[in-house]
């Protein structure tokens, strides 16, 4: 099987966030899609190993910030290669609070969702959320695709990513 075929799929690059009590937590996600228009429903895939996973289950809410091509690679590195379990990922990041959840202020836009279901897969959970709020923040930015992240930024996928490949 030629797994390079999988990289032909069109993904975005997002930061999915929620709260651990009052503390903001989040992780990079690339598997987000709109499921329905009415009501606007989205699916996000989060690794069982990500600290954010359990926080989404506990709060019953999540947000995702749509990252643009001009996003600093360090932001993706912080949210993709560190755990909220022991790192305050939001410490030096400009944040906007939307419907009580943290979103990245420099993002193209964001969506706030109320958890309405979940599908458990072997390594990830696909959370289903009904949109409660959405806003374009920086409409002149081009949203980053996962292909752009790999081809232009030369980014890597963390081990918890659905697209991670062992580079041995």
């Amino acid at each position: 099987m030629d797994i390079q075929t999988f990289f032909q799929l069109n993904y975005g690059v997002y930061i999915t966030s929620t709260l651990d009590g009052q503390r903001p937590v989040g992780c990079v996600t690339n598997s987000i899609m709109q499921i329905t228009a009415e009501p606007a429903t989205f699916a996000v895939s989060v690794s069982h190993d990500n600290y954010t996973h359990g926080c989404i289950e506990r709060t019953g809410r999540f947000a995702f910030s749509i990252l643009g091509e001009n996003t600093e690679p360090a932001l993706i590195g912080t949210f993709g290669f560190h755990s909220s379990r022991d790192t305050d990922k939001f410490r030096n990041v400009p944040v906007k609070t939307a419907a009580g959840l943290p979103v990245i202020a420099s993002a193209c836009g964001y969506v706030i969702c109320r958890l309405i279901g979940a599908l458990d897969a072997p390594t990830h959970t696909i959370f289903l959320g009904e949109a409660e709020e959405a806003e374009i923040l920086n409409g002149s930015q081009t949203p980053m695709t996962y292909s752009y992240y790999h081809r232009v930024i030369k980014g890597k996928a963390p081990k918890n990513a659905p697209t991670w490949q062992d580079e041995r």
Side-chain angles (χ1 to χ4, degrees):
M1 177 170 18
D2 183 358
I3 60 171
Q4 295 301 310
T5 306
F6 303 160
F7 299 133
Q8 300 298 311
L9 297 170
N10 191 8
Y11 302 98
V13 181
Y14 312 92
I15 291 180
T16 297
S17 55
T18 190
L19 296 171
D20 178 11
Q22 296 300 310
R23 185 174 73 96
V25 297
C27 62
V28 171
T29 51
N30 71 309
S31 299
I32 293 181
M33 67 178 186
Q34 187 172 355
I35 304 296
T36 63
E38 280 296 324
T41 304
F42 293 85
V44 59
S45 176
V46 179
S47 171
H48 296 158
D49 293 337
N50 282 14
Y51 188 76
T52 304
H53 179 280
C55 295
I56 291 172
E57 289 179 320
R58 285 189 296 280
T59 63
R61 299 178 72 228
F62 63 89
F64 60 90
S65 300
I66 304 158
L67 300 184
E69 289 181 351
N70 64 343
T71 299
E72 289 294 324
L75 179 74
I76 297 169
T78 297
F79 281 84
F81 291 90
H82 299 277
S83 174
S84 290
R85 198 175 273 107
D86 51 26
T87 302
D88 179 0
K89 296 180 183 183
F90 288 88
R91 192 170 103 207
N92 295 313
V93 177
V95 174
K96 170 181 170 69
T97 300
L101 293 180
V103 296
I104 306 301
S106 62
C108 296
Y110 68 85
V111 178
I112 305 291
C113 293
R114 176 180 57 82
L115 187 63
I116 60 171
L119 174 64
D120 203 35
T123 60
H124 287 65
T125 297
I126 301 164
F127 292 110
L128 299 176
E130 184 176 321
E132 296 179 325
E133 183 175 318
E135 182 180 355
I136 294 172
L137 297 175
N138 298 295
S140 62
Q141 282 191 58
T142 301
M144 184 185 302
T145 65
Y146 204 52
S147 174
Y148 180 92
Y149 171 71
H150 284 284
R151 283 184 305 102
V152 177
I153 296 177
K154 305 290 187 211
K156 303 288 184 196
K159 192 166 185 173
N160 288 347
T163 56
W164 177 79
Q165 297 296 318
D166 190 349
E167 294 183 8
R168 286 186 255 172

